[in-house]
Amino acid sequence: MVRTFVAVEFPVDFAQIVKEVQESFRDLGKMKMVPAEIVHVTLKFLGDVDEDKIADVGQSLENISCEPFTCLIKGTGVFPNVRRPRVLWLGMEGDFDPLHKQVEYYLEKEGFEPDKREFTAHATIARIKHIPRSNMEQFASMVEEMENVEFGKFTVDNFRLKKSILTPEGPVYETLRQFNL
């Protein structure tokens, strides 16, 4: 079985921006920062997929037809909410919906359940273990202050089928296939 997902990756030169945002939050609580070099927008998490099925998944994703688009990295946010934050993310503005809908459509034909939650384009930059009560107000304030900050733009002209290998040091990602828009 291969743990897989479909994603749009950040350009390499955006790693510094990610690190700077992470640094702003680092001392406010116990968080596991996502290595800046692997930050991405997940279009669809597939989970464990039989190795024999990977080629079929790739073949289906080959059918996707979308135009390249500009992505604006804008703002920070948390899931599920600022009172109980578990994930810190960077917001993404761009024409992700047509791409996401086609990913869902073609993967449903391969037997994958469509996501039940509404798709929100974002890039996880930290998993939050604990924010001390004494820091909650400052944490919430920083999230709000950065809500409309524009961190940069890039062109989304491809997406990838990725393999995730879980290690004690964190996940290691490998590109199985790249699909150009």
Side-chain angles (χ1 to χ4, degrees):
M1 297 296 263
V2 181
R3 185 177 165 92
T4 58
F5 62 97
V6 180
V8 169
E9 292 188 337
F10 275 33
V12 176
D13 54 342
F14 277 81
Q16 190 56 40
I17 293 169
V18 172
K19 287 177 186 173
E20 288 169 13
V21 176
Q22 289 172 327
E23 206 51 47
S24 305
F25 288 92
R26 188 174 302 280
D27 296 333
L28 296 177
K30 189 173 179 190
M31 299 179 216
K32 184 166 176 54
M33 300 296 176
V34 175
E37 301 74 26
I38 66 170
V39 168
H40 61 275
V41 178
T42 301
L43 296 170
K44 176 91 174 156
F45 179 73
L46 304 177
D48 290 328
V49 176
D50 195 310
E51 231 167 304
D52 297 341
K53 193 172 169 98
I54 297 291
D56 293 339
V57 168
Q59 207 57 42
S60 276
L61 293 173
E62 199 65 55
N63 292 310
I64 291 176
S65 175
C66 284
E67 292 297 315
F69 59 92
T70 300
C71 170
L72 170 64
I73 304 170
K74 182 179 175 186
T76 57
V78 293
F79 290 138
N81 58 56
V82 289
R83 288 180 305 288
R84 291 188 349 252
R86 293 289 166 251
V87 172
L88 176 64
W89 49 260
L90 289 173
M92 304 288 126
E93 291 185 4
D95 211 7
F96 282 95
D97 280 344
L99 177 57
H100 175 258
K101 284 181 175 137
Q102 286 190 53
V103 167
E104 286 280 23
Y105 174 79
Y106 286 108
L107 291 179
E108 191 173 359
K109 288 178 170 271
E110 291 298 324
F112 294 94
E113 288 287 318
D115 290 333
K116 289 173 182 30
R117 284 188 247 161
E118 186 179 337
F119 177 72
T120 303
H122 70 281
T124 298
I125 61 171
R127 301 209 180 280
I128 301 166
K129 305 293 182 207
H130 175 71
I131 307 275
R133 192 174 294 235
S134 58
N135 290 348
M136 276 306 272
E137 195 173 308
Q138 185 182 359
F139 176 82
S141 176
M142 283 184 64
V143 170
E144 189 178 325
E145 283 172 24
M146 291 189 187
E147 195 173 52
N148 291 308
V149 174
E150 294 184 5
F151 297 105
K153 292 180 180 180
F154 66 94
T155 300
V156 175
D157 57 7
N158 68 71
F159 66 97
R160 297 167 190 206
L161 178 61
K162 304 285 288 182
K163 173 182 181 175
S164 173
I165 302 158
L166 301 178
T167 73
E169 294 79 39
V172 175
Y173 300 146
E174 181 184 311
T175 299
L176 298 173
R177 291 256 322 253
Q178 178 174 310
F179 306 90
N180 294 322
L181 299 180

